[in-house]
Amino acid sequence: MDFLYGLIDKLEAASHLTKEEWVQLIENRDSQLSGYLFQKARKWQRRYFSNRIYARGLIEFTNYCKNDCYYCGIRRSNQDAARYRLTEDEIMECCHIGYGLGFRTFVLQGGEDGWFTQEKLEGIVRSIKASYPDCAITLSIGERTLESYQRLFQAGADRYLLRHETADTAHYGRLHPPGLSSDKRKQCLWDLKGIGFQTGTGFMVGSPGQTPSHLAEDMLFIRELEPHMVGIGPFIPHHDTPFANEPQGTVELTLFMIGLLRLMLPKLLLPATTALGTIDPNGREKGIQAGANVVMPNLSPASVRKKYELYDNKICTGDEAAECRMCLSRRIGRIGYELAVDRGDYPADAP
Ligand code: 5AD
Ligand code: FES
């Protein structure tokens, strides 16, 4: 299996892999190959980011959603989800607490909730920017029109996260109801990038029906898009969804994909996700050791945390922001990294 090592070397040399080569790597991986990959991934992580892990304060401001994605616990059809919206004051209070804890990026994430109109969203972005001009604002609020994205950018949003979920059209159809399409999703990502957002995409590892060929397409799409961020985490079933009885993704494959992403686009902002921390108590540390360089602890008020339940057994739902902040610095310190408190822009376009 020497050629697999050759493929990793090829990837490191910035050559493009073919779809078939991606499939080979993913299908025939073993722990020795992963070790080889992670060592190289850490080398690039160190080159661009030293031992610094960026922290983003995540504010889950609404769990209302008009969409009905089959995997997601806050899908419209889930009658048992306890719905909530944070008020603008509550959102500002989260930022206040987060700023005090050293966060210089706020991520506003929510379902696609029409209650938050374009005007309301722009107002919230403007308020945060006015109070915290030294902070970056990231939005993660789903598919919108080009014009809406443009106006949010003009209002002061710096970054946008929208996972493509899977680059394969048919597989996208297996995960989403009719009406949502991978073409639309990808177009949103091109729009975001064109506007000038630092743009994040991503996908779930081990989602129902996913094959190495689908993951290969994800890598090809990401190579083409050249996003600034890529969030990946294992699929984890949620008990009130059509995928309740599907198996969860594995830590092992998630880590392997993180390593591949670090080598393919070495300057990427790559989170060690909460989902990874949920299926393995040391998942986030392992993610960092496979090449990840971002963590996104929760700043949402403890009273609503449990309600933003995309999947079962999500960690940190009982903790205050300060506890997560301390816990993460300790965990990261133990493996020889440090939690950075600056904005943590993509290396090439730091202001
Ligand atoms: N398991 C893992 N990740 C999930 N997401 C949504 N539902 C699940 C689940 N059941 C991810 C999606 C989405 C992001 C916010 O959370 O990839 O884009
Ligand atoms: Fe939330 Fe450890 S990160 S308690």
Side-chain angles (χ1 to χ4, degrees):
M1 290 297 192
D2 273 359
F3 78 103
L4 296 177
Y5 292 83
L7 288 180
I8 287 181
D9 293 344
K10 187 172 162 188
L11 189 58
E12 188 182 24
S15 295
H16 293 209
L17 301 194
T18 64
K19 180 168 177 191
E20 190 46 42
E21 288 174 328
W22 282 117
V23 171
Q24 292 284 354
L25 262 182
I26 294 163
E27 265 180 354
N28 299 303
R29 69 186 190 281
D30 61 16
S31 60
Q32 217 183 332
L33 186 76
S34 298
Y36 185 75
L37 170 66
F38 299 155
Q39 207 180 340
K40 287 189 183 291
R42 286 195 297 270
K43 186 179 92 187
W44 288 94
Q45 177 196 50
R46 211 172 309 120
R47 178 162 308 171
Y48 287 116
F49 303 98
S50 178
N51 68 337
R52 304 172 79 243
I53 303 298
Y54 297 130
R56 321 296 199 196
L58 181 64
I59 304 169
E60 296 159 335
F61 70 99
T62 171
N63 72 348
Y64 282 84
C65 191
K66 67 169 197 228
N67 288 333
D68 220 12
C69 309
Y70 301 143
Y71 45 83
C72 183
I74 63 168
R75 63 200 299 267
R76 183 186 64 213
S77 304
N78 183 7
Q79 308 282 337
D80 290 332
R83 306 286 171 173
Y84 73 92
R85 292 182 179 108
L86 298 185
T87 63
E88 181 167 342
D89 285 349
E90 287 171 322
I91 294 172
M92 293 307 290
E93 177 62 14
C94 291
C95 295
H96 176 73
I97 293 169
Y99 194 87
L101 291 170
F103 294 111
R104 294 296 176 269
T105 293
F106 301 120
V107 183
L108 292 176
Q109 183 170 91
E112 294 194 16
D113 177 6
W115 188 89
F116 285 96
T117 57
Q118 182 71 27
E119 289 65 35
K120 282 202 181 86
L121 290 168
E122 287 174 27
I124 292 167
V125 170
R126 282 205 189 85
S127 306
I128 298 177
K129 214 55 185 188
S131 303
Y132 307 100
D134 54 333
C135 292
I137 300 178
T138 305
L139 297 177
S140 178
I141 50 177
E143 294 184 3
R144 310 180 67 83
T145 61
L146 174 68
E147 193 207 343
S148 164
Y149 287 147
Q150 280 165 336
R151 285 171 53 188
L152 290 165
F153 187 74
Q154 279 154 15
D158 305 275
R159 308 182 186 143
Y160 204 103
L161 307 180
L162 180 69
R163 292 186 177 182
H164 68 277
E165 309 297 358
T166 171
D168 182 87
T169 310
H171 188 227
Y172 198 94
R174 165 101 205 260
L175 303 181
H176 301 92
L180 293 175
S181 76
S182 64
D183 283 349
K184 176 78 205 309
R185 183 59 62 101
K186 288 173 183 166
Q187 187 54 52
C188 287
L189 284 159
W190 289 113
D191 288 348
L192 288 162
K193 207 172 164 221
I195 291 166
F197 280 104
Q198 287 181 46
T199 303
T201 188
F203 56 91
M204 289 178 289
V205 175
S207 56
Q210 186 182 62
T211 63
S213 164
H214 296 144
L215 288 168
E217 285 181 51
D218 289 323
M219 296 307 278
L220 293 175
F221 171 68
I222 291 168
R223 164 99 250 181
E224 192 193 343
L225 179 68
E226 281 198 62
H228 305 90
M229 293 167 258
V230 177
I232 67 168
F235 160 73
I236 306 172
H238 182 286
H239 60 277
D240 284 326
T241 63
F243 290 162
N245 299 315
E246 297 289 338
Q248 67 182 23
T250 66
V251 179
E252 185 273 321
L253 182 53
T254 306
L255 297 177
F256 191 72
M257 299 310 297
I258 289 175
L260 292 177
L261 285 163
R262 170 61 63 214
L263 271 202
M264 180 171 79
L265 296 172
K267 291 182 184 172
L268 264 190
L269 296 160
L270 262 175
T273 56
T274 305
L276 188 54
T278 295
I279 62 165
D280 182 325
N282 292 312
R284 287 169 298 177
E285 289 89 329
K286 290 176 184 172
I288 290 166
Q289 288 169 321
N293 65 336
V294 173
V295 287
M296 297 173 59
N298 209 311
L299 285 179
S300 311
S303 57
V304 305
R305 290 244 184 135
K306 184 91 190 80
K307 298 179 185 159
Y308 202 84
E309 194 191 35
L310 306 183
Y311 46 81
D312 289 342
N313 306 314
K314 188 173 165 201
I315 52 170
C316 298
T317 55
D319 301 284
E320 291 293 343
E323 294 175 65
C324 283
R325 167 72 173 77
M326 294 312 146
C327 168
L328 275 174
S329 339
R330 200 176 337 108
R331 283 168 174 267
I332 287 168
R334 266 199 309 249
I335 55 168
Y337 291 80
E338 66 177 67
L339 206 60
V341 289
D342 52 298
R343 278 171 51 120
D345 286 289
Y346 187 75
D349 42 52

